[in-house]
Amino acid sequence: MVLAAVRPDAWNFPLLIHVAGAMVLVGALVLAGSSLIFAWRDGGGTMARLGYRTLLVGVIPGWIAMRAGGEWIASKEHLENSDLSWIGIGFSTADAGAVLIIIATILAALAWRRAARDAGGGALGKIATVLVSILIVTYVVTLWAMTTKPS
Amino acid sequence: MYDWLLFLHVTAAFFLVITVVVLSAPALGYATDKRLLTIATVAWGIGGLGTILFGIWLAIYVRGYEVWDGWVIAAIVLWAGATELGRRAETGFNAGEGEPARARAAMFHWLRTGVVILLLIDMIYKPGH
């Protein structure tokens, strides 16, 4: 049995922004990934467009909220320069993830435009799908690190 | 033990939000693909079961929390409300009987989205604790 942790009230809002952003980020990644997989299988432009738009209006805003909330709560807890491994995992996967998200969004946009013109784009969509899948796995590991806090 | 319970509980909560985000596509009229509805239904099944099971387990396991605490009871009530609203939304989207039925399903979806947000606020702020 463990004692319930009590955190200062001032930490709650930044934590809410961080967690809500992370949830929207992962939810949107699942929607984008599913749409891109369906586009991959069916070859249609509709699902490719949904995958691209989800990355643009779901994943990117979710990432911004998650990252900003994370920085805010870390500063409240004075953990910005911490050597704790779970903090390191959080910051490194968030920042590396941003690069993959931007690349996946650009590739999904190109894949959708090419699919809409019946000019293929399948390979670009497939690469975007793989990147989104990598991001989902990475953020599950990050979630494990954030909740179990390995030292 | 506590760390793993928390991880499983929070992961299950992520599944609830996956449902909300995935169902937002048909609710906004961006997609009507039945496979998305299946993903949403399965995600709520996993998330719904996981949050209630591991949530109650945590409330029993952690000293200082009780299942009858106001914020825990509020969470259970919100969880039940979200589950029912979601059932109505998913039934409506699956039926696919024209615009009025889709609009009604979308309304239930947005109501569930609001309840899920309240659930998250309740979990973070733990009012009364």
Side-chain angles (χ1 to χ4, degrees), chain B residues 56-102:
Chain B
I56 289 175
W57 196 340
L58 275 167
I60 293 167
Y61 186 78
V62 177
R63 191 184 299 171
Y65 298 159
E66 304 293 348
V67 178
W68 51 86
D69 285 346
W71 67 275
V72 177
I73 292 171
I76 294 168
V77 170
L78 289 167
W79 174 90
T83 301
E84 176 56 22
L85 287 166
R87 187 191 64 77
R88 293 182 188 199
E90 287 162 29
T91 303
F93 286 129
N94 273 311
E97 294 166 350
E99 184 57 28
R102 198 200 62 78

Side-chain angles (χ1 to χ4, degrees), chain A residues 1-5 7 12-13 15-16 19-20 22-23 26-28 30-31 34 38 42 50 53 143-144 147-148, chain B residues 2-4 6-7 10-11 13-14 17-18 21 25 30-31 35-36 39 60-63 65 120-121 124-125:
Chain A
M1 186 170 279
V2 295
L3 281 171
R7 60 178 167 266
N12 285 334
F13 188 65
L15 183 62
L16 178 67
V19 174
M23 287 178 157
V26 172
V30 170
L31 176 58
S34 305
F38 297 150
D42 304 344
L50 178 61
R53 291 180 75 161
L143 176 60
W144 170 80
T147 50
T148 62
Chain B
Y2 167 77
D3 293 341
W4 278 98
L6 185 64
F7 169 63
V10 176
T11 302
F14 270 68
V17 178
I18 287 170
V21 173
Y30 290 151
R35 292 171 294 187
L36 291 178
I39 290 170
I60 293 167
Y61 186 78
V62 177
R63 191 184 299 171
Y65 298 159
L120 180 59
I121 291 170
I124 299 275
Y125 281 84

Side-chain angles (χ1 to χ4, degrees), chain A residues 7-115:
Chain A
R7 60 178 167 266
D9 287 343
W11 294 9
N12 285 334
F13 188 65
L15 183 62
L16 178 67
I17 297 296
H18 178 56
V19 174
M23 287 178 157
V24 170
L25 168 65
V26 172
L29 279 171
V30 170
L31 176 58
S34 305
S35 305
L36 291 169
I37 288 170
F38 297 150
W40 181 343
R41 289 169 55 125
D42 304 344
T46 306
M47 295 310 274
R49 185 180 67 163
L50 178 61
Y52 159 63
R53 291 180 75 161
T54 305
L55 283 163
L56 192 66
V57 302
V59 172
I60 291 175
W63 184 91
I64 291 168
M66 178 277 294
R67 187 64 178 80
E71 193 70 43
W72 191 2
I73 188 70
S75 72
K76 291 269 184 194
E77 297 186 47
H78 306 293
L79 291 172
E80 307 101 310
N81 301 312
S82 169
D83 290 333
L84 292 169
S85 58
W86 64 275
I87 290 283
I89 292 169
F91 280 130
S92 57
T93 57
D95 294 347
V99 178
L100 294 186
I101 288 168
I102 291 166
I103 295 169
T105 306
I106 293 167
L107 292 176
L110 292 172
W112 163 51
R113 283 177 179 237
R114 289 189 182 185

Side-chain angles (χ1 to χ4, degrees), chain B residues 8-31:
Chain B
L8 293 169
H9 180 60
V10 176
T11 302
F14 270 68
F15 273 90
L16 299 187
V17 178
I18 287 170
T19 301
V20 167
V21 173
V22 170
L23 268 193
S24 293
L28 290 167
Y30 290 151

